[in-house]
Amino acid sequence: MNVYDGQRIVGMLRARGLAETDDIAAADLIILNTCAVREKASNKVFSELGRIRDRKKTDALFGIVGCVAKEEEANAFRRIPELNFVLGPQSYHKLPEILDNPDARLLNVDLSGLEKFDALFTPALAAGVGAGIAPGDGFRKSNQQNDSDALINEPTPRGAQESATATPAARAGVNPLAYIPIQEGCNHCCTYCIVPYTRGRELSRPFADVMRDVRAAADAGAIEICFLGQNVNGYKFAPSRLPPHRGPLATGCVAWGGHEGRDATEQIFTLADIIREIARIDSVKRIRFTSSYPTEMSDDLIALFGTEPKLLPFLNMPIQSGSPDVLTRMNRPYSLDLYLDIVNKLKAARPDIQISSDFIVGFPGETDAEFQQTLDIIRRVRYINSYSFKYSPRPHTAAATMPNQVPENVKRARLKILDDALTEINREFNESCVGRVLPCLIEGADKTGKHLLARTPYMQQAIVNCPPSWGGASPEATGGSSRSNTNSKDSPPSPASRPLPPKRGENLSLILITSANKCSLRGEIAD
């Protein structure tokens, strides 16, 4: 979701004529797009704000948007008095107000609705074209406007669902992947989670609005659609419950996903309805969604994995812990038997499906035996990817005041054991892919210009030698390494030496996997 928010912010500012700069000291506007899932990430925001304050020019505007803004509210101004704006995750569309009135202080952390989606919609923004962001990116002065902007995206905390790094294709103005949020907030109220406070209660976007965004993205060249939500498979929208201020239902909604013989105003649209509808768009080749809550995995949605080939054979379905007692303390109302039954149903529907998860170690009261139960479930399900955290107490959560808080050194040791077990499973799965030919999404070129970066149907990164037919320079001409770390200080090759970005129809390619390690695959174009 932070990636989507960052894309919208960048697109909104570009639409006002702003241009990027890598030099904070030259910027007129600096934004931190923030996450509050973990205490460490939240603390880093204010450390970074202090550094920005010392480096920026005197009249530059700066502030924070996102979940930390909601968590801190007016306290952010007390901690950093020089801040110009503090905007919550549903209020960042108000940024132009600070540009129009730079002497004002802007505080808006309202979570009452979905206004930002309407306020920011344009076909280009819906597609996310050219709106990728990476840590350290910014805006320089443009010819169209005297204002400029420097955007810093907070480094993605461990466990983020998507990389905050823009693909080279996106940065070149071609984006084969579009993130489409369909739902925000969460009603589950896990005892460790700050999301219901920072993002609010669950709100599902109107079905017609989702389809509008999907069609705009597809028209702009996106061939993979990723639906987003804190509880994405809990999406439910009834047209008859459309808020009065939104006016009449968008034209065409009756035809979108309605079941034959039923009045569209009585239809409760679900994620399965959305997937079935967009699968009819010929140019959309891959569909996925994140993140899923186990009890929201309906049989209808599970069955789609077996009947809709465009739906990727990969699902992030966090279990958090393998201990029934820990799950109870977390207020995760499902049993291990129910979770495993869902996994078995998914594998029956799509035998090649792979599962990823989130894990929290060192939750208050977690014993050695309960931690061992988590290791047991990891080995039983064999997750090919995971996002694992040490428990971090967050304000406004019940777990923060629970007794028997686990010592930091114990949490650290358990996380190491957990990560080692998950890494080994990940390595084994990656190595099992060697020799296979997989249809991969070509995201663009790496910074060296020698390789293409591709994504398999299981969300593994594949590093592929760039064929001359794509316009890439030879390895001898480009030199350098294959790293794609956005924080690298190495000078990138000149634009003339980089491969041309993929064109429509070239973004999906068959890749022969030639080698693998714990983190990524290597391959070559097979078609």
Side-chain angles (χ1 to χ4, degrees):
M1 189 66 80
N2 268 9
V3 176
Y4 167 85
D5 289 341
Q7 289 178 343
R8 286 297 175 100
I9 291 168
V10 172
M12 175 177 60
L13 294 172
R14 285 178 176 169
R16 290 178 64 93
L18 308 183
E20 288 124 320
T21 178
D22 293 326
D23 186 2
I24 291 176
D28 297 310
L29 175 64
I30 305 165
I31 305 164
L32 242 60
N33 182 23
T34 64
C35 172
V37 169
R38 293 192 303 157
E39 183 179 22
K40 182 179 179 181
S42 185
N43 289 339
K44 285 169 65 177
V45 168
F46 286 94
S47 296
E48 184 64 29
L49 286 171
R51 287 189 288 269
I52 291 170
R53 177 183 54 193
D54 296 338
R55 294 172 59 194
K56 75 181 187 70
K57 62 185 182 182
T58 304
D59 59 347
L61 303 173
F62 83 126
I64 57 174
V65 303
C67 292
V68 173
K70 170 56 184 171
E71 179 186 1
E72 293 289 333
E73 299 189 352
N75 187 53
F77 291 115
R78 288 188 284 271
R79 295 182 68 172
I80 307 287
E82 296 85 355
L83 286 177
N84 300 98
F85 54 89
V86 175
L87 298 172
Q90 292 185 23
S91 305
Y92 60 75
H93 61 289
K94 303 288 188 180
L95 269 169
E97 294 181 16
I98 199 69
L99 297 175
D100 296 334
N101 190 9
D103 294 327
R105 275 191 169 188
L106 182 59
L107 171 66
N108 191 315
V109 292
D110 179 55
L111 299 177
S112 62
L114 297 171
E115 177 189 349
K116 71 176 181 183
F117 296 108
D118 293 326
L120 291 175
F121 177 79
T122 67
L125 287 182
V129 174
I133 56 174
D137 276 1
F139 287 79
R140 62 181 178 271
K141 286 186 179 295
S142 69
N143 295 326
Q144 292 84 4
Q145 198 158 313
N146 291 328
D147 295 313
S148 65
D149 173 84
L151 177 87
I152 297 174
N153 191 58
E154 181 193 2
T156 307
R158 183 179 190 161
Q161 300 304 305
E162 302 290 343
S163 169
T165 303
T167 65
R171 297 168 64 80
V174 177
N175 198 343
L177 165 62
Y179 295 110
I180 307 292
I182 64 172
Q183 175 271 339
E184 279 215 39
C186 187
N187 291 346
H188 287 289
C189 296
C190 301
T191 58
Y192 56 83
C193 186
I194 198 172
V195 164
Y197 178 78
T198 59
R199 291 272 181 177
R201 308 296 280 176
E202 286 184 20
L203 292 170
S204 292
R205 297 182 63 201
F207 186 86
D209 288 7
V210 173
M211 291 308 305
R212 174 199 65 187
D213 284 7
V214 170
R215 292 185 183 280
D219 289 345
I223 64 171
E224 178 175 317
I225 305 295
C226 178
F227 292 114
L228 302 177
Q230 277 76 38
N231 182 29
V232 67
N233 57 336
Y235 174 87
K236 294 180 181 65
F237 175 71
S240 61
R241 300 175 195 171
L242 194 68
H245 72 274
R246 296 219 11 128
L249 196 63
T251 303
C253 191
V254 172
W256 287 342
H259 294 307
E260 186 176 356
R262 297 184 61 179
D263 189 287
T265 60
E266 297 175 356
Q267 167 72 25
I268 297 178
F269 294 97
T270 66
L271 176 58
D273 291 312
I274 290 175
I275 292 171
R276 274 190 287 263
E277 183 61 30
I278 72 160
R280 302 176 188 175
I281 302 174
D282 290 341
S283 61
V284 172
K285 306 300 182 184
R286 304 196 344 166
I287 303 168
R288 59 188 174 97
F289 55 90
T290 190
S291 258
S292 303
Y293 196 85
T295 58
E296 305 282 4
M297 284 301 300
S298 67
D299 288 342
D300 189 25
L301 185 57
I302 291 170
L304 271 180
F305 281 93
T307 59
E308 179 46 65
K310 292 184 179 182
L311 186 58
L312 294 185
F314 177 83
L315 177 68
N316 176 254
M317 187 171 66
I319 190 171
Q320 302 296 359
S321 173
S323 164
D325 290 339
V326 171
L327 290 175
T328 297
R329 296 198 296 275
M330 288 179 168
N331 193 33
R332 303 279 291 186
Y334 50 82
S335 66
L336 294 183
D337 286 344
L338 174 63
Y339 185 94
L340 292 171
D341 182 57
I342 294 169
V343 171
N344 290 335
K345 286 181 178 180
L346 286 164
K347 290 184 176 181
R350 183 75 184 263
D352 64 331
I353 195 169
Q354 300 297 326
I355 311 294
S356 73
S357 182
D358 298 356
F359 294 97
I360 296 174
V361 301
F363 190 78
E366 184 188 63
T367 65
D368 287 341
E370 288 170 339
F371 174 64
Q372 185 60 49
Q373 288 176 306
T374 296
L375 294 178
D376 291 344
I377 203 73
I378 285 171
R379 296 180 180 116
R380 188 168 179 179
V381 177
R382 304 205 53 88
Y383 300 98
I384 68 161
N385 193 11
S386 67
Y387 308 95
S388 46
F389 309 85
K390 294 180 293 183
Y391 168 71
S392 176
R394 308 302 296 121
H396 316 289
T397 63
T401 58
M402 286 182 177
N404 302 317
Q405 297 284 326
V406 177
E408 186 66 23
N409 64 319
V410 175
K411 290 191 286 188
R412 188 183 307 114
R414 288 178 182 170
L415 183 62
K416 174 67 165 58
I417 294 169
L418 181 86
D419 281 346
D420 286 348
L422 289 165
T423 296
E424 185 57 32
I425 294 170
N426 190 25
R427 181 194 295 276
E428 289 176 7
F429 179 71
N430 284 352
E431 290 176 348
S432 75
C433 293
V434 175
R436 295 180 62 184
V437 175
L438 299 174
C440 296
L441 182 75
I442 305 297
E443 297 178 327
D446 72 359
K447 294 178 74 171
T448 70
K450 293 163 53 179
H451 306 96
L452 299 174
L453 301 179
R455 194 69 60 176
T456 76
Y458 309 108
M459 292 298 100
Q460 304 144 294
Q461 185 181 75
I463 301 169
V464 182
N465 290 333
C466 184
S469 61
W470 286 60
S474 68
E476 293 76 13
T478 58
S481 68
S482 62
R483 290 180 301 153
S484 58
N485 184 352
T486 59
N487 293 318
S488 171
K489 301 299 183 183
D490 297 338
S491 298
S494 66
S497 68
R498 289 177 178 160
L500 297 173
K503 301 175 182 178
R504 183 189 287 270
E506 293 181 338
N507 296 104
L508 203 61
S509 185
L510 293 176
I511 303 297
L512 171 64
I513 306 303
T514 57
S515 64
N517 58 37
K518 66 181 181 181
C519 298
S520 63
L521 309 173
R522 292 246 173 194
E524 56 190 40
I525 292 180
D527 60 345

